[in-house]
Amino acid sequence: MRYRPISPAVLAEELAERIDALTGPRLAVAVDGAAGATPAAELADALVDPLRLRGRATVRVSARDFLRPASLRFEHGRTNPDTRYTDWLDLGALRREVLDPLKNAGEVLPSLWDAERDRATRAARVPVPEGGVVLLDGELLLGAGLAFDLAVHLWLSPAALRRRVPDAWAVPAYERYEEEAGPSSLADVVVRVDDPRHPALYTP
């Protein structure tokens, strides 16, 4: 794979330009990357101002606010990589509360579950005006049937993955994701982030 070195600021500008070129009443954009090892949230945050300058209202949503309750996530232990891969994220809730309403009523729920306190956030729905964009960051988002208008995958080489993931027990979950889902083949944009300060954009 060929990669073009790019600064984080220029990457955000180029992505904002690409998003702004998309058509549709409202857009869902995913920034997918291993939690704690890639700057998925930071990149999604960095897209907010460039999109607003282009007249695109934005709503930030994080997949970590749509995790299942602890009783379900940790049913097979707190360090089970298979459960991390298949059962931590509440895919149904993301569809029901964010992606489907975005295309219909235009009101989304920005958060559902506070994983640290293990209770509902009781957040209010947020309107997304026509032309608006929901920016969703999270891990293991691709290949699960979630509908995005644009998906960005932050890729780590195998060595960097093992080195950067803070929870060593979770590495097999990401390796399984690479093998079974093939996120780089599903994403619209792939960015190598072995060193998050010096990303590189895949150029086919």
Side-chain angles (χ1 to χ4, degrees):
M1 299 180 76
R2 295 173 296 174
Y3 289 91
R4 169 168 59 92
I6 190 171
S7 72
V10 173
L11 174 62
E13 284 293 330
E14 289 194 8
L15 287 175
E17 194 70 26
R18 181 161 178 173
I19 294 166
D20 190 41
L22 297 174
T23 59
R26 299 173 186 86
L27 302 174
V29 174
V31 181
D32 172 67
T38 66
E42 291 84 349
L43 179 54
D45 288 342
L47 291 171
V48 172
D49 285 344
L51 285 172
R52 287 178 177 167
L53 287 174
R54 290 167 170 81
R56 296 273 193 172
T58 62
V59 175
R60 279 285 287 114
V61 179
S62 291
R64 66 176 176 270
D65 294 323
F66 286 83
L67 297 181
R68 298 180 187 276
S71 61
L72 298 176
R73 295 202 315 279
F74 304 141
E75 183 178 3
H76 301 288
R78 290 179 173 268
T79 58
N80 186 306
D82 290 327
T83 303
R84 174 77 169 255
Y85 179 50
T86 60
D87 293 330
W88 272 34
L89 181 60
D90 192 338
L91 294 169
L94 267 177
R95 291 190 193 95
R96 183 180 67 250
E97 306 294 354
V98 180
L99 298 176
D100 290 346
L102 179 67
K103 301 302 183 184
N104 298 316
E107 289 191 346
V108 303
L109 193 69
S111 66
L112 177 67
W113 196 259
D114 185 329
E116 291 187 5
R117 295 180 174 85
D118 200 34
R119 66 186 186 190
T121 61
R122 302 186 184 279
R125 292 191 175 275
V126 176
V128 183
E130 189 165 343
V133 181
V134 165
L135 297 167
L136 170 70
D137 74 274
E139 64 174 21
L140 311 172
L141 295 175
L142 306 182
L146 299 176
F148 301 115
D149 297 287
L150 185 102
V152 180
H153 175 59
L154 303 185
W155 182 78
L156 292 166
S157 66
L161 178 69
R162 291 190 293 271
R163 182 176 68 251
R164 295 189 57 82
V165 168
D167 300 319
W169 64 267
V171 169
Y174 301 118
E175 293 175 336
R176 181 179 171 189
Y177 181 50
E178 285 289 329
E179 180 179 350
E180 295 184 7
S184 292
S185 66
L186 298 174
D188 301 288
V189 179
V190 179
V191 184
R192 182 169 180 163
V193 289
D194 285 3
D195 182 347
R197 298 166 300 176
H198 303 286
L201 185 65
Y202 171 62
T203 56

